[in-house]
Amino acid sequence: MRRQVNIRICLRLLATTAILSALPLYSQGPATPQATDQPDNAALLQKIRDLEDRMVAMEGQIRLLKSQQAAPLTAAAPGVTARANAPEQGTAEAGAAAVPQTQAGSELAPASIARSGEGTIQEPSLGGAGGSAAKALNPDISMIGDFIGSAGHNPVNPISSFEMHESELGVQAIIDPYARGDFFLSFGESGVNLEEGYITLTALPAGLVAKVGKFRGAFGKVNTMHNHVLPWVDRPLVSNNLVAGEDGIDDAGVSVQRILPAPKGIFMELTGQVFRGDSGDTQHPLYHAYNNNDVSAIAHLRTYKDITESTNLDLGASYSRGYSAAGPNFLTHLYGVDATLRWKPLRRSIYHSFVGRTELIWSQRQQLPFEQRAFGFYTSGDYQLGRRWFVGGRYDRSGEAQNASLIDKGFSAVLTYWPSEFSQIRGQYEFTHYGNLDAHQLFMQVQFSLGAHGAHPF
């Protein structure tokens, strides 16, 4: 309030000064025959231009003050209580004393000091940037909750009737013009896990982009997705059997990627990654590093093409290699092919869309008494019925990495409702045939998002 009053007083003073300075030009009486009106008119026009410049500067300062958050009043001396609404000054001298003199185009003085009978009250200022400067120092923070309820019986992969499956805390910010940082902490009911935490270097020579830290490997599509981005409640069988389940290839390492030149409007990107060599858990083991040299690696080639203005196709090929959990002298090789077809009409994009996905994976696992070669895939489709409703289905078939002769298969039906972009409710029925065992399950999932969560890779 005090700043707005001071600005108004200063504007009045500027207008009064310009009027008083122009009065002598008209009080000199009629001009003599030798004199002309040109010098007086030139002086008047110059003073009007100066006044306009100063008014423009003051308007810019007023807009800047409106965009800033009001800074709290703090007492300059101990024992003095600051009042949020200071009384307006009733005289021009008080207003002039409260507003330091400024030149056209300069920034406002840091703070105005008002005196009262109780003591001295000083109003701090953040300078020209104001509240935006404080915001620039804080990263974007988000929390995503994932609640799952289930009914039915699954003897192979049992799940509780109700479970706060995951709470993901995201902290993301641009570090400087050359890098950004992303951290994702996963809070479960039994512990905390660093899902991803890395820095991305975006200004490297030769068009390279690098990541350093802990992140999900660029193998296929599902392995790169966080749980809350999946179009289903759970992950496909091929991901659980051949690519280390929910954790997947998620390890500390270095990633380098580069966009390759391609003809006819095709986007092509090549990614190479080297990891420490530990992936999976006790239920879904994949890679294990027995010493510092037992690193794992991933190579991924992605191509993207717009077929029409409403349809695009995304194709990928992946390869991964690491030391098997079966022993220090055994290797595991993974080969994958993925395809994603998207249809989203421009004129009805918020009401109708379709996404079709498929992923095929071959596993070559060395172990005793002989090598296991397993194959698996999934195929899914998701159609948008309306602005908030989606329906989808998925078919799964996969061998098991440690015993390729065992084949698991199943299908799922999914119905999703989005109350808003910050929450979703999903129901899924799933039938799975594990060798000689059948499992029927019904899932209910509720997800909600708090704060600013950055977009995931397309």
Side-chain angles (χ1 to χ4, degrees):
M1 178 66 73
R2 184 186 297 116
R3 286 187 175 182
Q4 295 178 359
V5 172
N6 292 338
I7 292 300
R8 290 197 294 268
I9 293 174
C10 190
L11 289 174
R12 294 169 186 169
L13 289 175
L14 287 176
T16 304
T17 303
I19 295 173
L20 292 177
S21 62
L23 286 177
L25 299 177
Y26 297 95
S27 62
Q28 293 177 358
T32 60
Q34 294 80 9
T36 62
D37 294 338
Q38 293 180 358
D40 295 339
N41 292 339
L44 180 59
L45 290 175
Q46 183 61 39
K47 287 184 176 292
I48 292 175
R49 293 191 190 98
D50 295 341
L51 178 61
E52 289 177 351
D53 293 339
R54 300 176 72 180
M55 293 289 289
V56 170
M58 295 301 294
E59 289 176 358
Q61 293 168 357
I62 292 174
R63 288 194 298 268
L64 181 63
L65 287 176
K66 289 181 178 180
S67 65
Q68 296 175 357
Q69 296 179 353
L73 299 177
T74 56
V80 178
T81 303
R83 292 182 295 177
N85 298 320
E88 297 185 4
Q89 301 295 333
T91 63
E93 291 81 8
V99 181
Q101 296 181 355
T102 61
Q103 296 181 355
S106 63
E107 295 182 353
L108 292 176
S112 58
I113 301 176
R115 298 183 180 277
S116 65
E118 298 177 353
T120 302
I121 300 176
Q122 182 177 5
E123 181 182 356
S125 175
L126 295 174
S132 60
K135 175 64 175 67
L137 300 177
N138 296 325
D140 292 332
I141 300 177
S142 64
M143 176 64 78
I144 297 179
D146 182 12
F147 174 83
I148 296 178
S150 68
H153 178 64
N154 189 330
V156 179
N157 292 314
I159 185 174
S160 303
S161 56
F162 295 105
E163 177 185 11
M164 191 63 187
H165 183 215
E166 184 181 68
S167 300
E168 181 186 284
L169 175 64
V171 181
Q172 302 172 275
I174 296 176
I175 301 173
D176 52 41
Y178 314 102
R180 65 169 289 117
D182 298 88
F183 278 80
F184 301 98
L185 300 177
S186 176
F187 294 83
E189 293 185 352
S190 58
V192 181
N193 176 49
L194 176 61
E195 186 168 2
E196 290 190 285
Y198 56 87
I199 179 176
T200 304
L201 306 175
T202 59
L204 298 178
L208 298 176
V209 176
K211 289 197 299 186
V212 178
K214 184 177 185 288
F215 46 89
R216 303 187 72 90
F219 186 90
K221 284 294 185 182
V222 173
N223 186 78
T224 63
M225 296 180 178
H226 290 196
N227 288 332
H228 64 89
V229 186
L230 292 171
W232 325 285
V233 175
D234 61 346
R235 294 179 183 264
L237 288 174
V238 65
S239 297
N240 293 328
N241 292 352
L242 305 183
V243 198
E246 183 174 305
D247 291 336
I249 305 176
D250 184 7
D251 202 357
V254 178
S255 173
V256 178
Q257 64 185 37
R258 188 180 189 279
I259 298 176
L260 303 178
K264 299 182 179 181
I266 298 176
F267 172 84
M268 186 174 295
E269 181 184 60
L270 180 63
T271 302
Q273 299 175 330
V274 178
F275 296 97
R276 178 179 55 209
D278 292 307
S279 295
D281 52 26
T282 55
Q283 186 177 2
H284 303 98
L286 181 61
Y287 298 142
H288 181 71
Y290 300 92
N291 55 63
N292 292 340
N293 297 326
D294 295 344
V295 297
S296 60
I298 290 179
H300 180 74
L301 177 65
R302 179 193 178 192
T303 59
Y304 172 92
K305 172 66 176 178
D306 285 325
I307 302 175
T308 66
E309 65 177 12
S310 304
T311 309
N312 59 72
L313 181 63
D314 193 336
L315 300 175
S318 307
Y319 168 74
S320 180
R321 167 199 175 277
Y323 282 85
S324 172
N329 298 322
F330 301 108
L331 292 173
T332 294
H333 301 270
L334 291 178
Y335 307 87
V337 176
D338 62 87
T340 304
L341 178 68
R342 303 179 184 89
W343 172 76
K344 199 174 187 70
L346 298 181
R347 294 174 181 83
R348 305 285 292 175
S349 59
I350 65 174
Y351 298 104
H352 298 289
S353 64
F354 174 79
V355 179
R357 301 177 177 89
T358 187
E359 194 165 348
L360 298 84
I361 298 176
W362 292 264
S363 172
Q364 183 178 343
R365 187 175 191 267
Q366 297 178 357
Q367 65 179 40
L368 294 176
F370 51 84
E371 182 180 86
Q372 296 292 321
R373 298 187 177 185
F375 168 74
F377 73 95
Y378 75 87
T379 300
S380 72
D382 300 281
Y383 180 74
Q384 183 179 0
L385 297 172
R387 187 164 187 174
R388 304 181 187 277
W389 291 94
F390 294 78
V391 63
R394 189 187 75 207
Y395 176 77
D396 297 301
R397 181 183 177 90
S398 175
E400 297 187 7
Q402 301 180 40
N403 189 351
S405 61
L406 295 178
I407 304 297
D408 303 334
K409 53 186 177 181
F411 68 88
S412 302
V414 184
L415 180 64
T416 305
Y417 173 69
W418 289 78
S420 71
E421 59 181 317
F422 304 104
S423 62
Q424 73 173 20
I425 302 173
R426 175 175 290 149
Q428 176 174 332
Y429 167 75
E430 182 175 276
F431 166 77
T432 309
H433 177 73
Y434 299 99
N436 297 324
L437 300 175
D438 292 340
H440 298 266
Q441 288 182 286
L442 185 63
F443 297 102
M444 184 271 292
Q445 181 184 45
V446 178
Q447 290 187 355
F448 51 91
S449 174
L450 292 75
H453 189 83
H456 289 277
F458 176 71

